[in-house]
Amino acid sequence: MYYYFQDYQFDSNSLLLSQHGQLLVLRNNEARLLHFFLSTPAQVYSKEQILAAVWQDKVVSEQAVFQAISNLRQQFGDSAIRTFPKKGYQWQIATESAEVARTAEPTDRDTAPKPVAQPAALLTDSPHITPLPAAQPHRLALYGIWLLIGLAAVVGLTSWWQSQTPQQVVRPAATAITEPAVQLMLQFFMADEQGQTPLVADSFSANVRQALLQKTDWRITLPPVTASEAQLWASPQLFIRPDLTKAGPIPAANKILLTGRLSSSQDQHRLWLALQGAQNRWQYLLQADSIPALQQQLVDLLLLIAPQQVLWTSQDQRLVNAQWQLLLHQAPQQLHLQKSRVQSELSLGDVAAAQLHSEQLLLQAQQQHDLPQQVFALQQQADIAMREMDVDRAQQLLDRATVLAEQTGDVRLQAVQRILYFSVWYARHDFARLEADLLQALQLARALDDQALVATLLMDLTIASFKFALPAKQNDYFIQTQNQLTALQLAPENFAELELFSGINVKDKQQAEQLFLQALQRFTPQQRSGTKSQLQQQLVTLYLRQQRPDAARALFQTAKEFSAHEQLLLATIAQAEQQLDTALQHASTAFMTASLAGEYLVALDASLLLLQLPAGNETELAEQARKETQRDYLRKNATPAWLKQHQQALSALQL
């Protein structure tokens, strides 16, 4: 059921709220309470009725009702909900309902928060390096447990049952706000082993471009002709930049780089593609029995997701996840979106939702006889098993996925599948099996002439050798990776990543410091990068443990202005030196800057620090107000993954 009031639309099935077509984020209890009010808006509900309907079997105090109502009033105005003393609460805004969503003329524009640009990382296929709190939200990593490709909204199974009959892709409703044009850069390559000429890829690109221009007013261009496939895959940050053209400037936030690799096997045509925006990166595998059908799949996917700027620009993974929820409700047959939703839920640490939706994806993929999507669903379930430290189950799931990957005949899928055993063999302390799988994947990648994947695998081998403390192999694989990055002429950030993750896994702290400093020197003082943030975090942590605050502070001496994450690190340094007023100033600035920019992990970390810091020159009343504000922020915004990571600190604060 859809409810309409003022300029809002609320979907009771997905519990998603939108305004002018832009998705708004509500906590789950607030969304359930809103649905409760909207279902019978004339009814006056007592606190007991609300507790029973919204919180059901959970034991919570009446304060939870007061807080949820207060939050809804903040969103819709104080007059939206009326209080009847000793009776209860009643919804006041005139509301209409309908079984189907209202639609407007199709548009390719949508609204989203303004971004803070941050380049992508090389290891987009590597599942085994855990990001630090300040890392890019879309970073894929693992230290012994997986983190694949970030308050997720809970979606019921209703939309899935409705999706069992084929449906056309539904494009998002029109918005009342005019947005700058999308600039989509297309570049496709052929798999060399097929003996195809580049003209096939050029023809594919031309047909896709023509189909898009018939339906949108996007600007569609090509990257520089000198850009290689490996550079586009591994260093997309080089190409996502603002530019000036005859038609006017396009902000970097509205530019999307699409790189794809075409291959054919008998009557099956496949397209591995990466869509990279100013902030986030998404990868897909499309397949069809004809080139025109493959082109149409790509066009449908682009028309659906390219206008959703939050997917490309937002650092707030809650918004990104909510956007996937909305798109899936509009196009439930798009299994690619199912995969992205589960990846987003995993990055947020919402394991229960990820398990439910990965099982749903597997069932739908089986019904549609889509082998690659079955592989992806099993990989996601293996990821969840590793999070629960169930290594045996993870290996069983990966073994099933391996059999299916071989049945597809897709060599690249088989190579990527071998990579995913990394955490299993690491958990079993079996370097020989780990190395054998990575070398097998490396052989497949070289057969494909997929040089970006070769670079990724060499880095994986380097990291594995550091994790297992094997000096001879460390040196060998480290040099091989450096040579590969140099040959591909990749961005300095790719070299910095090699040094960062090698330093994280090296046992010698002096060697780690040298690697971190060498990597940090590859960035300019004002350059913004997830890798740079991780390097700063590692060095500050190292220096403070060694009681060298001066060395930690020296890392920021050349910067003219500081990012939210840098402000947070400066606050941490000041705290270690017992400079409480300075620490409070930096932490407050970090919190406000991160909140405005949608850097929710930094905002959460800054909020926690503001709770931990005692008063400097503050009055007791001001300190109490500060801490109550931060408690309220954490209650509303902390995600399951963040809560788990900071469980000890939160327990000490009795939160």
Side-chain angles (χ1 to χ4, degrees):
M1 180 70 71
Y2 292 87
Y3 296 94
Y4 304 93
F5 55 95
Q6 294 179 340
D7 51 1
Y8 295 95
Q9 173 179 292
F10 181 75
D11 180 355
S12 64
N13 289 328
S14 60
L15 297 180
L16 293 177
L17 176 71
S18 58
Q19 182 182 33
H20 294 308
Q22 180 175 351
L23 203 63
L24 305 175
V25 175
L26 290 178
R27 295 178 67 193
N28 188 50
N29 289 333
E30 292 162 12
R32 289 168 59 86
L33 178 58
L34 177 60
H35 180 209
F36 190 51
F37 279 133
L38 295 179
S39 60
T40 51
Q43 178 74 33
V44 177
Y45 292 108
S46 67
K47 292 190 294 292
E48 292 75 16
Q49 288 174 309
I50 292 174
L51 282 169
V54 176
W55 282 268
Q56 298 175 347
D57 297 330
K58 295 181 181 178
V59 179
V60 297
S61 68
E62 293 182 351
Q63 182 61 36
V65 177
F66 302 147
Q67 186 63 59
I69 288 175
S70 174
N71 292 340
L72 290 181
R73 283 172 171 162
Q74 283 185 342
Q75 179 67 54
F76 305 117
D78 290 341
S79 61
I81 301 172
R82 180 180 176 184
T83 302
F84 290 86
K86 298 183 179 181
K87 291 185 178 180
Y89 304 91
Q90 183 187 52
W91 183 255
Q92 297 293 302
I93 302 176
T95 302
E96 300 177 16
S97 61
E99 292 291 341
V100 295
R102 294 175 180 173
T103 56
E105 288 299 318
T107 179
D108 299 295
R109 308 271 175 90
D110 200 0
T111 58
K114 293 183 179 180
V116 175
Q118 188 171 324
L122 171 65
L123 292 180
T124 50
D125 285 316
S126 295
H128 50 269
I129 307 166
T130 301
L132 298 172
Q136 288 171 276
H138 63 282
R139 179 100 197 156
L140 309 183
L142 178 140
Y143 289 118
I145 59 172
W146 286 2
L147 292 175
L148 295 174
I149 314 185
L151 270 235
V154 177
V155 177
L157 288 174
T158 305
S159 61
W160 174 69
W161 289 113
Q162 294 172 341
S163 72
Q164 299 311 298
T165 55
Q167 300 181 27
Q168 296 295 319
V169 173
V170 180
R171 304 216 356 239
T175 71
I177 302 174
T178 300
E179 288 293 324
V182 170
Q183 177 162 326
L184 182 65
M185 291 172 282
L186 302 173
Q187 185 62 276
F188 300 105
F189 300 86
M190 291 301 301
D192 290 345
E193 80 278 10
Q194 301 299 329
Q196 304 283 356
T197 66
L199 293 178
V200 178
D202 293 344
S203 174
F204 187 91
S205 179
N207 291 336
V208 170
R209 178 177 180 177
Q210 181 180 7
L212 288 172
L213 289 177
Q214 289 174 350
K215 300 180 180 182
T216 72
D217 58 353
W218 302 346
R219 191 179 303 167
I220 302 176
T221 60
L222 295 174
V225 294
T226 56
S228 68
E229 179 184 9
Q231 288 174 322
L232 293 171
W233 275 84
S235 303
Q237 65 270 25
L238 296 176
F239 309 97
I240 306 297
R241 294 179 175 175
D243 64 337
L244 293 173
T245 67
K246 294 180 180 179
I250 295 283
N254 293 25
K255 295 176 70 173
I256 303 169
L257 173 63
L258 187 160
T259 305
R261 171 175 274 250
L262 288 157
S263 65
S264 299
S265 176
Q266 298 177 345
D267 295 330
Q268 195 65 234
H269 304 276
R270 300 184 183 89
L271 174 63
W272 281 89
L273 61 94
L275 283 160
Q276 169 71 40
Q279 186 59 233
N280 298 320
R281 176 180 176 126
W282 310 100
Q283 293 189 351
Y284 300 97
L285 171 59
L286 305 181
Q287 61 177 11
D289 56 8
S290 70
I291 290 294
L294 190 65
Q295 291 168 343
Q296 188 59 50
Q297 278 192 36
L298 177 59
V299 169
D300 287 344
L301 180 66
L302 292 174
L303 291 177
L304 188 65
I305 68 176
Q308 313 309 314
Q309 292 186 31
V310 68
L311 298 182
W312 317 109
T313 65
S314 180
Q315 300 185 63
D316 188 336
Q317 288 300 292
R318 298 163 303 175
L319 281 176
V320 172
N321 188 63
Q323 183 67 74
W324 287 127
Q325 306 279 8
L326 180 61
L327 289 174
L328 260 171
H329 186 66
Q330 294 171 333
Q333 290 295 319
Q334 285 274 4
L335 300 187
H336 318 295
L337 306 188
Q338 283 271 35
K339 174 191 171 187
S340 295
R341 174 174 65 176
V342 176
Q343 291 168 342
S344 181
E345 289 165 344
L346 287 172
S347 69
L348 285 167
D350 194 346
V351 175
Q355 179 68 40
L356 173 66
H357 295 134
S358 65
E359 292 172 356
Q360 179 179 328
L361 171 60
L362 179 59
L363 182 58
Q364 287 184 268
Q366 289 171 340
Q367 292 172 339
Q368 297 183 23
H369 305 289
D370 190 327
L371 290 180
Q373 293 298 336
Q374 293 179 47
V375 172
F376 297 141
L378 290 168
Q379 291 171 351
Q380 290 167 333
Q381 291 179 30
D383 178 2
I384 295 168
M386 284 303 302
R387 288 167 181 262
E388 297 172 347
M389 301 308 296
D390 191 343
V391 181
D392 290 339
R393 174 166 169 75
Q395 185 174 348
Q396 291 169 4
L397 289 164
L398 287 176
D399 288 344
R400 288 175 58 191
T402 299
V403 172
L404 294 176
E406 291 173 352
Q407 291 178 12
T408 67
D410 188 325
V411 178
R412 193 178 195 277
L413 183 60
Q414 295 168 27
V416 172
Q417 176 61 25
R418 303 313 305 180
I419 299 173
L420 298 181
Y421 281 93
F422 188 109
S423 60
V424 170
W425 304 133
Y426 180 71
R428 298 190 188 282
H429 307 288
D430 191 341
F431 177 80
R433 295 290 297 274
L434 193 160
E435 184 182 37
D437 270 333
L438 292 180
L439 289 174
Q440 182 180 351
L442 183 63
Q443 183 179 5
L444 295 173
R446 283 175 168 155
L448 288 169
D449 193 29
D450 191 334
Q451 295 302 316
L453 185 56
V454 168
T456 297
L457 284 159
L458 287 172
M459 190 176 292
D460 292 344
L461 286 162
T462 303
I463 293 166
S465 64
F466 274 92
K467 279 183 175 292
F468 283 87
L470 302 171
K473 289 186 178 291
Q474 287 175 13
N475 294 334
D476 180 29
Y477 287 130
F478 189 91
I479 293 171
Q480 285 190 55
T481 308
Q482 278 191 321
N483 291 340
Q484 178 73 3
L485 298 179
T486 301
L488 296 178
Q489 299 181 335
L490 299 187
E493 180 165 346
N494 299 132
F495 290 85
E497 286 178 340
L498 171 64
E499 292 151 352
L500 165 65
F501 297 121
S502 298
I504 287 174
N505 291 288
V506 75
K507 306 299 182 183
D508 186 330
K509 297 305 178 184
Q510 185 175 0
Q511 185 182 359
E513 179 185 358
Q514 293 173 350
L515 286 165
F516 294 149
L517 288 172
Q518 180 177 322
L520 194 58
Q521 291 171 359
R522 298 184 185 276
F523 300 93
T524 65
Q526 301 307 319
Q527 189 172 348
R528 298 288 178 256
S529 161
T531 301
K532 181 182 178 182
S533 295
Q534 292 184 71
L535 287 163
Q536 292 171 328
Q537 178 80 58
Q538 289 289 337
L539 282 165
V540 167
T541 301
L542 178 65
Y543 289 146
L544 292 184
R545 286 176 178 171
Q546 296 174 346
Q547 298 183 348
R548 298 166 59 193
D550 291 342
R553 199 182 310 104
L555 297 172
F556 308 99
Q557 286 181 347
T558 57
K560 296 180 180 179
E561 59 182 38
F562 302 114
S563 68
H565 181 250
E566 289 169 338
Q567 291 280 5
L568 180 59
L569 291 177
L570 289 167
T572 304
I573 297 168
Q575 179 192 28
E577 296 181 297
Q578 294 299 307
Q579 298 177 3
L580 299 182
D581 290 333
T582 302
L584 282 170
Q585 180 181 357
H586 283 304
S588 298
T589 303
F591 176 73
M592 290 186 291
T593 304
S595 298
L596 291 173
E599 299 176 68
Y600 82 100
L601 284 176
V602 179
L604 288 170
D605 288 345
S607 181
L608 178 58
L609 182 57
L610 286 168
L611 273 172
Q612 294 170 323
L613 287 170
N617 292 327
E618 286 180 310
T619 64
E620 183 179 350
L621 187 62
E623 181 186 9
Q624 290 176 351
R626 162 171 58 91
K627 293 189 174 182
E628 183 55 38
T629 298
Q630 298 309 322
R631 288 190 190 96
D632 185 59
Y633 180 82
L634 291 181
R635 281 194 296 266
K636 293 180 180 178
N637 296 283
T639 64
W642 188 89
L643 288 171
K644 183 177 181 180
Q645 181 182 0
H646 296 86
Q647 184 176 3
Q648 185 175 356
L650 294 170
S651 297
L653 294 168
Q654 297 182 341
L655 290 177

